Amino acid sequence: MNSTPPTSPFTEVHDGVFPSIDRNSKNFVYHQPQKRNAGAAYSHLVSPVEEPATKFNEAFRTEYPIKECGTLSETYLKNDLNMLFANPRFYSVDNLASMFHLCRTVSPLEYLNEFLMGILLAPQMDFLSNPDYTLPSSRPIGQGSYSYVYTISSTTTSTLNNDLSLVLKFAKSQHKSKVILQEALTLAYLQYVSPSTSDSHIIPFYGLTYINKSHFRRLRSNECVPGLILPKCRMNLYNFNSTVSHELSLIGKREIWWKLLKEMLDALKTLKINGIIHGDIKTANILITETPSVNEGHFDNFDFYLADFTSAFHTSQLPTDLNTTVEYCAPELIDNSTDHIPTFKTDLYAVGLCLLSFISQHEPYNELQSLVSHGSSPGTGSSSIQRSQWLINVLLKKDPINLNILRSNLFQDWKLELAVLSKILVERLPLEELLALLEQDYI
C-alpha cells in the first residue's frame, strides 16, 4: 500500500558529529564488510514486494541482430536527461551542479556531456554495442511499480551459466524511465562522494546502460530504456523473515539482529552526512548478499545493503511528488501536525520498524490486522479504503512496539533489543544521539 503525501519544505541536514561504534563491542559483533566480488552469489530484489510474473518466456528473444552503436547509449542518456531536467521531479541541473560542487560557470550542455556521462554510463557493459551481454532468464528475480530486475549473463564468461553475479534493474517502459534515471543520479552521487558505498552498506552502483526490444521483447520497437547495473544479492529481509529466520536459534537470530542494526545505522549515517533521504525504507528494500548460515557462529558470510532509491532525494531540492509505504510511515507523515515529507528522523523510524519486523517475523501491524479480522487474510470482507483507514488509525496510536509484539515470550527473549527499539520508535532519538547511546551503554 502506497501513499503520496503532499510536498512541503525539508528539514535541514543536521551538523552533529557522528560517534563510531566500537568494533570490539560485546553486543555489536562487527564483521568487516566483504569487498565487491564479482564471483559471489547475489540476487537483487526491488520493492514493493510483489510476486514475480510466472510467464515471461515470450518477452525474450536473443536472435535479433544487434548493430554496432557505440555512441547510442550516450545519445539516449543525453535525450533522457534533457527531458528529465525540463520537468524535474527530484533533481534539476542547478541542484546537481551544487551537489557535485561543479563550477557555476559550466554550461548545462558541458555539464551533461562531460560530467554526467562519465559518472553514469558503464561503457564496459554497454548492451547496445556489445551483443555478448544478455538477459537470458525467462523470469524476473524482482520487480516493482516502475522496473524489472533480471540477471545479466555474458557469452564470453567461463562462469557457470555465464552468470556475472550482476543484475539489470531497468524501466518497464520508456514512460517510466525518469524514475530509473533519478535513482541512477542518487546512487552515482553517493558513489561519487563516498566511493566505498558497499562499506557503508548502500547498494553498490556499477553504472547505467540501455536496452531495447532486442534484449526484452515486451518493450516497443522504438523504445530504448535505461537500466542500473547492480550486484546480485541472495534475498531481501522480507524473504529472510518469512523463509529463513525460523530455521535459526534465538542466539543466532539475536546476533543477526545486532548486525542488521549496525549496518543499517552505517547506511543512515552515510545518507545523512551527504544529505540524502531514502523515503521508502522497508524490509523489501534491505538486501542480503548471502543466506546466513544455520550453523551457529559469527555469521560473517553475508552483509546487508540498503537498496531501491526510487523515492530518495537530496535535501537541497523539494520533490514534486513522493511515494512511500504506509506501514513504514512515522506518525508525523500521516497526521495533521507537520509537513508530510520524509526526513532523516522518519528514515530512522522506518529502520526501527524493519528491526521490529525481524523480531516479530511479520510485516508491521500485519499480525494485529489478522487477529482483528479473526485469522482471515488482511482485507477479507473489507474495502481497500477501510483497510487503509484502519492502518492509519493504528499508526496514529504511536505505540508500534506493543502493537507489533503480540506474544509475551518475545518481550523476554528480546528484552535488550526492544529497549533499543524503544529509543528509536518511542523516544525518537536522532541518529547522532542513538549512536552515542549505543556506544556508551551497549559495549
Side-chain angles (χ1 to χ4, degrees), residues 161-172:
N161 298 324
N162 299 323
D163 187 0
L164 298 176
S165 294
L166 298 171
V167 297
L168 190 70
K169 177 182 180 182
F170 60 92
K172 286 185 172 181

Side-chain angles (χ1 to χ4, degrees), residues 228-382:
L228 311 178
I229 302 170
L230 304 168
K232 190 178 180 185
C233 295
R234 180 65 64 184
M235 64 180 66
N236 59 27
L237 186 58
Y238 176 90
N239 301 131
F240 174 85
N241 289 343
S242 59
T243 64
V244 177
S245 180
H246 68 278
E247 299 177 359
L248 303 176
S249 69
L250 176 60
I251 294 175
K253 285 191 285 189
R254 290 188 69 215
E255 186 171 352
I256 295 174
W257 188 93
W258 286 99
K259 180 182 179 73
L260 174 62
L261 172 66
K262 170 66 176 67
E263 296 186 355
M264 286 303 98
L265 293 185
D266 281 345
L268 291 183
K269 179 179 173 180
T270 297
L271 294 185
K272 191 167 186 179
I273 287 173
N274 295 297
I276 294 292
I277 292 173
H278 186 283
D280 193 24
I281 297 175
K282 53 187 174 183
T283 55
N285 290 341
I286 298 176
L287 305 184
I288 308 177
T289 57
E290 292 285 353
T291 304
S293 172
V294 297
N295 297 321
E296 301 303 336
H298 295 293
F299 296 96
D300 56 356
N301 67 314
F302 72 98
D303 283 295
F304 294 100
Y305 283 148
L306 182 60
D308 196 344
F309 284 74
T310 52
S311 295
F313 58 92
H314 193 273
T315 55
S316 63
Q317 180 162 336
L318 181 71
T320 57
D321 66 329
L322 198 66
N323 291 321
T324 191
T325 303
V326 177
E327 288 85 345
Y328 288 87
C329 281
E332 61 265 29
L333 290 178
I334 57 175
D335 64 18
N336 296 321
S337 62
T338 61
D339 295 324
H340 295 170
I341 200 75
T343 63
F344 298 118
K345 290 187 68 174
T346 62
D347 270 359
L348 178 57
Y349 189 91
V351 166
L353 289 176
C354 291
L355 290 159
L356 196 63
S357 178
F358 184 101
I359 295 173
S360 70
Q361 296 185 8
H362 291 276
E363 287 293 279
Y365 311 102
N366 183 267
E367 188 176 16
L368 178 63
Q369 192 172 37
S370 295
L371 289 175
V372 170
S373 56
H374 305 290
S376 59
S377 60
T380 301
S382 62

Side-chain angles (χ1 to χ4, degrees), residues 410-429:
L410 294 179
F411 284 97
Q412 182 61 38
D413 293 342
W414 297 85
K415 184 178 180 179
L416 182 62
E417 291 78 7
L418 291 174
V420 173
L421 287 178
S422 180
K423 301 294 182 182
I424 299 173
L425 297 171
V426 180
E427 297 183 35
R428 304 296 303 276
L429 293 184

Side-chain angles (χ1 to χ4, degrees), residues 20-64:
S20 61
I21 297 177
D22 190 344
R23 296 184 182 183
N24 296 318
S25 163
K26 64 184 179 183
N27 285 358
F28 287 86
V29 182
Y30 185 92
H31 309 291
Q32 185 67 26
Q34 295 176 350
K35 301 300 181 183
R36 300 175 195 176
N37 182 358
Y42 299 104
S43 172
H44 181 74
L45 301 173
V46 291
S47 70
V49 178
E50 300 176 9
E51 290 296 324
T54 56
K55 294 182 179 180
F56 271 69
N57 291 325
E58 76 280 6
F60 290 93
R61 230 180 112 184
T62 57
E63 66 270 18
Y64 284 98

